[in-house]
């Protein structure tokens, strides 16, 4: 007897959930390395913090694009 698995609901939610793993890892790496760099060289705090926040913003922009893309391309 064969049992068929059924996926009900919107499959794009599963896709976004998987796509959110990358930016999540990226943010963790950015802040982890940023804190380590500040601990090693406290006098460069301003430059490290600026670059850390810029990396965070770009990484989160990718996550937001991944959230919006299924809504844009769902009717094509």
């Amino acid at each position: 007897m064969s049992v068929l698995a059924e996926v009900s609901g919107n499959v794009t939610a599963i896709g976004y959930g998987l796509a959110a793993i990358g930016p999540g890892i990226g943010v963790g790496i950015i802040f982890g390395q940023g804190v380590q760099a500040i601990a090693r060289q406290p006098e460069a705090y301003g430059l490290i913090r600026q670059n850390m926040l810029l990396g965070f913003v770009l990484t989160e922009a990718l996550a937001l694009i991944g959230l919006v893309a299924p809504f844009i391309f769902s009717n094509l």
Side-chain angles (χ1 to χ4, degrees), residues 58-69:
L58 293 174
T59 304
E60 283 300 314
L62 290 176
L64 290 174
I65 289 171
L67 176 65
V68 173

Side-chain angles (χ1 to χ4, degrees), residues 24-69:
I25 293 171
V27 168
I29 291 172
I30 288 169
F31 283 106
Q33 295 295 320
V35 169
Q36 185 178 15
I38 291 170
R40 289 176 182 248
Q41 199 169 9
E43 65 273 5
Y45 172 76
L47 181 63
I48 294 169
R49 180 176 171 263
Q50 178 183 3
N51 289 332
M52 189 170 56
L53 290 175
L54 180 63
F56 169 73
V57 167
L58 293 174
T59 304
E60 283 300 314
L62 290 176
L64 290 174
I65 289 171
L67 176 65
V68 173

Side-chain angles (χ1 to χ4, degrees), residues 7 10-23 63 66-67 69-70:
V7 177
N10 195 352
V11 181
T12 58
I14 297 170
Y16 178 68
L18 293 173
I21 293 172
L67 176 65

